[in-house]
Amino acid sequence: MLLLPVLLLGLLIGTAAPASAHAVLRGTDPADGTVLRTAPRQVTLTFTESVGLLTDSFRIYDPDNHRVRTGPAGHAPGRSGTARVALPARLAPGTYTVAWRVVSADSHPVSGAFTFSVGKRSAAPAAPLPGGTENRATTALHTIARYLAYLSFALLLGTAAFTVWCRPPVTAHLRTPALAAAAALAVSTAALYLLRAPYEEAAAPTTAFSLSSLAHTATTRPGRLLLARLALLLLAAAAAAVLSRRRTALPRPAALAAAVVLSVALSLTWAASDHASAGIQVPAAIVSTTLHLLATAAWLGGLAALLWTLRQAPAGLPASVPARFSRLAAASVTVLVLTGVYQSWRGLGSWQALTGTTYGRTLLAKLAAVAALLLAAACSRTWTRRLHAAPAARSRVPQPAAGPPPPAEPAPAAPAVTPLPLLRRSVLAEAAAGMLVLALTTLLTGTVPGRAAAESSPAAPPAATGIPTASVTTIPFDTGAPGGRGKVQITLDPGRVGANSVQAVIYGPDGGLSTVPELRVTLTLPSRHVGPLDTRIADRGGYWSADSFTLPLPGVWTMRATVRVSDLDQVTVSAPLRVTG
């Protein structure tokens, strides 16, 4: 009973569920760092999920850092989770750099680079790739528009849910924030559509108005869903304008049914384009995401409407209004807990990912913010009960049936505090905690989940045609601090049982070589309970190495790298490593 009014207009707050499923590179052919006897005919990338291709998905540079002419990018036959490009028939000996960029099934672009060599490695390393992997202006504008869309969506639909369910005596004061939220949602959605192509291709925002970019966006699933969102908003605005001009209103059942349909349709423009649309159990994830969004909007958006109402009614707000919202919030929390547990399991995949991945740590921060939000909500509920009980207690004062009135009793002392001001403060604290939850939730939508990160593995071993070469493992890391992202590339030579040399280099956020104050690499063989074995690599001035490290047994080892980027920020990441005899 309580959930239906929430579903009706308390639609989703764009809290795109924490089941983000960015595509993660599973392997490359040729493998990263491979030395091949003969030039390959093509380059193939394999990802953890299906990917979309761009006009410039591959940029391949020869040993002299000149771009190699290639054919158009495509998928391997029957495999949408791959990206492939044909190479020229003749390639000069030396090291080649492959820079790639694709779009995940959840609509987020991902990019990276690796190297392979033909005949021999080049004497000098390949030059850094021109430019960065992202256009900062485009990324910043896209992020702002995304946050604004989530926030305005929550405010618009939460205000509607509050009006319908809590039934405040006066609603005129809620018209202004509702109209402002509707306008902000329309503007931010249009901005997201314009920025879609530059965001995917890491281009400047000035290319947003290119006719070719706009036409390309209309052919993609995210673009079509953004257009559908705009169409739904325009349809709702047109219907409201017609009813206002005729000064008529729909019957309440019809209005509720229309609101439910509109809310669910709008929610699907998020659920079908973001994280729930990729990964495991997609149908269940989309349903869970939709319910999560509806419950979040009913709670946080309705909370904003309650706070605005309390400010506009300093003394005359009926106690029944916050009491109804308290019940609405309790129902929303129940839905949020159920869907949140499922989405956390789907996004994490393991307990280790809770502390060992950026996604897991961000989720922990969100849970802490939710705990603060629940504490503030409990305070609001306490003051609501007191506010609701006060008039009821006064109404139960007995009156004499006849005769002279009883002697007047002394009036009770005025309470030290009154519930209404305290209710305003607790609702304000609840709203502040809700904004933090919304910000962390939005951050989760742009973070690779623990399950997807765990599915990534080092590049496949060299093909039989390659010369025996070292084992190269590249592991991404993110400390969560500004500039704390990058990759650590670890080479074991020859990567077999026995004596090996170990080299490691760090690549920063821009893809260039970087230095760190501390790096530790260990290996563990879980199946034999061996390790961790410390490689004892030392800083050699720009790279790290150990001349001798012994791998005693074959098997699938776990390589762990602890990267410290500052006095306070460090992270430990891991990847599997297959060692042969």
Side-chain angles (χ1 to χ4, degrees):
M1 242 180 111
L2 295 179
L3 185 59
L4 180 58
V6 181
L7 289 173
L8 84 86
L9 287 186
L11 175 62
L12 36 86
I13 165 169
T15 186
S20 169
H22 294 337
V24 176
L25 183 64
R26 190 191 296 274
T28 67
D29 183 17
D32 188 12
T34 300
V35 180
L36 303 173
R37 292 185 185 276
T38 59
R41 300 299 302 272
Q42 59 195 11
V43 170
T44 303
L45 311 180
T46 303
F47 296 90
T48 56
E49 65 177 51
S50 60
V51 294
L53 302 177
L54 305 170
T55 56
D56 201 26
S57 276
F58 285 95
R59 290 175 294 148
I60 301 179
Y61 298 88
D62 65 15
D64 296 324
N65 206 36
H66 297 143
R67 185 165 180 176
V68 177
R69 293 181 177 273
T70 62
H75 297 290
R79 299 168 61 194
S80 62
T82 62
R84 174 176 289 179
V85 66
L87 297 175
R90 295 177 179 271
L91 292 178
T95 299
Y96 289 78
T97 302
V98 180
W100 55 267
R101 187 176 181 88
V102 297
V103 180
S104 304
D106 64 357
S107 78
H108 294 278
V110 291
S111 59
F114 67 96
T115 63
F116 68 89
S117 302
V118 177
K120 61 180 181 179
R121 290 189 175 92
S122 300
L129 294 177
T133 57
E134 303 290 342
N135 184 284
R136 293 185 178 181
T138 298
T139 301
L141 290 173
H142 187 273
T143 301
I144 292 172
R146 191 159 55 96
Y147 273 79
L148 181 59
Y150 290 156
L151 181 62
S152 57
F153 199 29
L155 179 59
L156 174 62
L157 299 173
T159 299
F162 175 81
T163 302
V164 172
W165 178 250
C166 300
R167 300 194 294 275
V170 179
T171 59
H173 63 281
L174 294 175
R175 184 184 300 273
T176 298
L179 291 177
L185 179 57
V187 170
S188 59
T189 301
L192 287 171
Y193 183 86
L194 291 174
L195 292 169
R196 184 68 210 174
Y199 175 65
E200 288 182 350
E201 299 175 1
T206 53
T207 64
F209 296 95
S210 166
L211 292 179
S212 59
S213 297
L214 295 175
H216 169 73
T217 301
T219 65
T220 64
R221 183 175 61 176
R224 290 193 295 267
L225 289 169
L226 288 170
L227 290 176
R229 188 186 304 167
L230 280 173
L232 288 169
L233 291 172
L234 292 175
L235 180 62
V242 169
L243 292 175
S244 176
R245 187 178 301 113
R246 294 180 178 179
R247 297 183 180 181
T248 59
L250 289 175
R252 185 177 179 83
L256 292 180
V260 169
V261 171
L262 178 62
S263 299
V264 173
L266 283 172
S267 68
L268 287 175
T269 66
W270 264 276
S273 65
D274 257 334
H275 314 309
S277 63
I280 62 172
Q281 302 176 357
V282 170
I286 289 180
V287 172
S288 176
T289 297
T290 301
L291 292 175
H292 201 82
L293 297 176
L294 291 168
T296 307
W299 187 10
L300 299 186
L303 183 65
L306 174 61
L307 182 61
W308 188 263
T309 300
L310 287 172
R311 287 175 57 88
Q312 299 299 317
L317 182 68
S320 60
V321 174
R324 290 192 189 102
F325 178 76
S326 182
R327 293 192 292 270
L328 176 62
S332 299
V333 168
T334 302
V335 175
L336 288 172
V337 169
L338 295 176
T339 56
V341 167
Y342 168 73
Q343 291 170 178
S344 298
W345 166 81
R346 184 174 180 263
L348 285 171
S350 67
W351 287 108
Q352 292 77 7
L354 194 60
T355 57
T357 64
T358 301
Y359 181 90
R361 291 188 292 272
T362 305
L363 181 59
L364 287 176
K366 178 186 174 181
L367 292 177
V370 169
L373 180 58
L374 290 174
L375 180 61
C379 294
S380 299
R381 193 173 180 85
T382 299
W383 296 119
T384 296
R385 284 199 300 266
R386 295 189 182 182
L387 186 66
H388 190 63
R394 287 194 297 268
S395 66
R396 291 194 297 268
V397 175
Q399 299 295 329
E409 297 182 3
V417 293
T418 56
L420 190 56
L422 293 174
L423 177 60
R424 291 195 194 98
R425 294 175 190 174
S426 63
V427 169
L428 183 60
E430 197 176 346
M435 289 294 293
L436 179 59
V437 170
L438 177 59
L440 290 171
T441 301
T442 308
L443 182 61
L444 277 173
T445 69
T447 305
V448 178
R451 184 184 295 273
E455 288 179 357
S456 63
S457 63
T465 57
I467 328 176
T469 184
S471 168
V472 180
T473 303
T474 302
I475 314 175
F477 65 86
D478 189 348
T479 65
R485 294 185 298 106
K487 296 180 181 179
V488 53
Q489 180 175 290
I490 304 166
T491 303
L492 272 76
D493 192 0
R496 297 174 177 272
V497 170
N500 288 263
S501 64
V502 185
Q503 297 85 34
V505 293
I506 303 293
Y507 295 98
D510 60 353
L513 291 176
S514 179
T515 59
V516 295
E518 184 179 349
L519 175 64
R520 182 169 181 257
V521 178
T522 62
L523 285 100
T524 304
L525 185 58
S527 62
R528 297 291 191 91
H529 304 287
V530 176
L533 306 180
D534 194 346
T535 60
R536 300 185 183 278
I537 57 175
D539 189 359
R540 307 295 185 185
Y543 72 100
W544 299 69
S545 71
D547 294 332
S548 180
F549 171 72
T550 301
L551 286 169
L553 297 168
V556 179
W557 292 69
T558 298
M559 175 182 286
R560 287 188 174 85
T562 299
V563 185
R564 183 166 64 85
V565 298
S566 69
D567 292 339
L568 300 176
D569 301 306
Q570 76 172 35
V571 66
T572 298
V573 292
S574 63
L577 173 69
R578 182 173 295 279
V579 176
T580 58

